Amino acid sequence: MNKATVLGAGSFGTAMAQVLSANFPRVALWGRDEALLSSLTQTHENRNYLPGLKLHDAVYGEPKLEAALEGSSLIIVATPSHA
C-alpha cells in the first residue's frame, strides 16, 4: 500500500505529513491527543501547532499506533527528543 506515517502530531510532524502528501495518497499522523487528531481529520488543520495551514486531504489523524503503521511504506519519527 502506498501510505506514509508520521509519528508525532506536533508542528514538525504536521509539516512533515504535509510535505509527504505530495507523494503519498494517504498520510497517517499519529499522536496521543485524540481530540486534536479528530479535529485535524475533520478540518484538515492542526489548530494547536500550525494554525492557518490547510492540510492536504491525504493527511489524517490516527490515534491508534497499530492502525497508523499498518500498510505504511515510509515511517517518520517526529516526536520531541524528551518523548
Side-chain angles (χ1 to χ4, degrees):
M1 179 169 279
N2 199 14
K3 172 184 161 187
T5 297
V6 179
L7 303 178
S11 56
F12 184 66
T14 302
M16 289 301 304
Q18 179 70 358
V19 169
L20 290 170
S21 70
N23 294 304
F24 288 89
R26 295 179 53 219
V27 181
L29 187 57
W30 174 84
R32 298 180 302 176
D33 186 339
E34 289 191 40
L36 170 71
L37 297 172
S38 177
S39 173
L40 185 144
T41 299
Q42 293 174 10
T43 66
H44 296 284
E45 181 182 3
N46 188 334
R47 292 179 179 159
N48 289 10
Y49 295 100
L50 291 175
L53 174 67
K54 189 70 170 173
L55 298 173
H56 191 278
D57 288 345
V59 179
Y60 67 97
E62 177 54 69
K64 296 179 182 170
L65 181 59
E66 296 82 12
L69 297 173
E70 186 177 342
S72 292
S73 57
L74 176 68
I75 300 166
I76 293 179
V77 178
T79 56
S81 60
H82 66 271

